[in-house]
Each structure stands twice: as structure tokens, then as C-alpha cells.
Amino acid sequence: MTMNLFEGIEQDRTWREELCPGALVLRGFALENLAHILTALSAITAQAPFRQMLTPGGFRMSVAMTNCGACGWLSDRTGYRYAGLDSETGQPWPRMPEVFLALAQEAAASAGFQNFVPDACLINRYQPGARLSLHQDKNERDFDQPIVSVSLGMPAVFLFGGVRREDKPTRVPLTHGDVAVWGGPARLRYHGVMPLKEGCHPLLGGQRINLTFRKAA
Ligand code: SIN
Ligand code: FE2
């Protein structure tokens, strides 16, 4: 007699954790197409290398960034903004790969946000010690569109706060393949990332990569 040990176990490819109305984490959602995602990522960073941008206050960010898609997020002494050209190379940002777009759209739909068409993908690289202080994503035109945030490589502690900077954030561990989505009533929640710990991920080494998809224009 054979027995199906997995009988009755949910066939969904991930499980989900709600952070608050409008925000959730889809555990492992990005694992399915991972090889394609990593190949596309290498091509992007070869064309538009990671760089540590300056904040408007003149500090060098600890997180290194690049972009793909029609709009790229930039910071320098004049402020934060989206731009079609990479300020380092003078060239348009690399195109958003189909596999990135599909991942972002599927994650958004799975979180209840249909018809998400991101035109911006900010790519963050955290090395040990790199952190992102609490902030809101509000350089986008339309706050009805959600944010889709994909974690790859080393684990990190994501800080998910309230709509006021003083609201105490909850600590959400994010690991390789997790996708966080926030929109609707959660769209303007403060969020950030605790300093990355030392370590070594089998595929990505001692770093964490985050892809943040947004509809900017
Ligand atoms: C961001 O807020 O832009 C990035 C968040 C993350 O790295 O998880
Ligand atoms: Fe953000």
C-alpha cells in the first residue's frame, strides 16, 4: 500500500503572512523562477553597475543601488527623483526583464492588487553593516499602486512601521525568495532595513539583494 504523505497539505506554492491590512509577506514566492531572475540580474548590473548614492544631506548611502525599467530612482545633493537615464552612464536604464515583470505582477495579484504594471525596479545591494533607515516610498505619482519587494541572498530584518515616523515598527525577518507587498491602506507605511549581519548565502555570498518594483510615472 502506498501512502501520500502530502495529502491534505495546501498545494499553494507559498504561504502568506499578513503584516496589517494591505501588507503581507509571500514566503518563498520568488524561488520558482530564481535561476532566470539571477541571470537577468547579472546582465542588468553589468550594464548599470551598483553605486552608493549621496543623500540630499550629503551622506553616502550604505546600500548600493541600481535600477532597471523605464524609470530609475536616484538620490543626490538635489534630492530624490525618478529619471529615465542612469546619471553614471548617461544611458537609459536596462529594460525590465520579462521574468521580473511577471514576478512583480503575480505577487501583486496574489496580494489582491490586480493590474500592477511597474515601470521602475530599484535594485538594492546590502553588504554587512548596510542599512536603510525608516522612510516612506512617496516619489511615485499614484499611491493606488502597490509596492512589491523581493528579497534575495542573505536574510535581513525588515522594519515595518506605521503611517507616522514615531510608530514603533515590527521586525519582520525576510529571507531568500520572500516577497513583501504593501499597498492600499498600507501604501505609505514607514519601513526600513536593520544593518545586515555577516554571513554567506550559498548562491549570493555575503550580500542581500532587494528588488523593489513600483509604478513611478
Ligand atoms: C526599500 O525600501 O527600498 C528596500 C526595502 C528592502 O531592502 O527590503
Ligand atoms: Fe522603500
Side-chain angles (χ1 to χ4, degrees):
M1 190 182 103
T2 57
M3 225 170 41
N4 179 2
L5 293 175
F6 298 103
E7 209 168 23
I9 292 184
E10 214 183 316
Q11 292 300 296
D12 213 353
R13 69 172 168 171
T14 80
W15 70 92
R16 50 183 65 225
E17 288 169 27
E18 201 189 33
L19 303 177
C20 71
L24 50 95
V25 179
L26 306 169
R27 296 288 179 195
F29 198 91
L31 293 177
E32 199 172 80
N33 245 334
L34 198 67
H36 290 125
I37 290 166
L38 294 181
T39 306
L41 181 65
S42 306
I44 292 164
T45 58
Q47 209 183 315
F50 284 113
R51 79 291 309 263
Q52 287 172 270
M53 299 179 190
L54 277 182
T55 65
F59 294 100
R60 184 80 50 200
M61 296 179 77
S62 59
V63 180
M65 300 178 172
T66 186
N67 292 276
C68 68
C71 306
W73 186 86
L74 288 175
S75 174
D76 59 23
R77 291 305 300 247
T78 67
Y80 305 132
R81 66 186 174 282
Y82 283 96
L85 299 183
D86 178 347
S87 56
E88 294 279 309
T89 65
Q91 298 298 308
W93 297 104
R95 292 195 42 190
M96 191 179 306
E98 206 48 57
V99 60
F100 278 31
L101 189 62
L103 170 62
Q105 289 181 325
E106 283 168 25
S110 174
F113 301 99
Q114 308 299 332
N115 308 317
F116 178 48
V117 188
D119 54 12
C121 174
L122 171 66
I123 306 172
N124 293 322
R125 185 188 69 194
Y126 299 75
Q127 288 178 326
R131 59 187 289 273
L132 203 60
S133 52
L134 279 182
H135 65 277
Q136 293 171 295
D137 288 5
K138 53 179 189 187
N139 299 125
E140 301 74 30
R141 207 159 271 163
D142 180 4
F143 296 150
D144 288 340
Q145 297 286 325
I147 308 283
V148 173
S149 170
V150 178
S151 292
L152 300 170
M154 291 284 297
V157 177
F158 182 59
L159 299 170
F160 193 71
V163 289
R164 293 172 311 164
R165 189 183 289 281
E166 317 76 79
D167 297 336
K168 191 173 185 297
T170 45
R171 292 166 172 238
V172 184
L174 291 180
T175 62
H176 183 64
D178 290 347
V179 181
V181 182
W182 62 99
R187 176 63 179 71
L188 289 174
R189 290 261 183 163
Y190 277 86
H191 57 280
V193 179
M194 298 270 288
L196 194 79
K197 295 227 168 79
E198 298 274 350
C200 186
H201 185 270
L203 285 177
L204 286 157
Q207 60 179 352
R208 168 178 187 260
I209 304 282
N210 170 264
L211 314 175
T212 300
F213 294 93
R214 308 184 184 111
K215 170 98 176 68

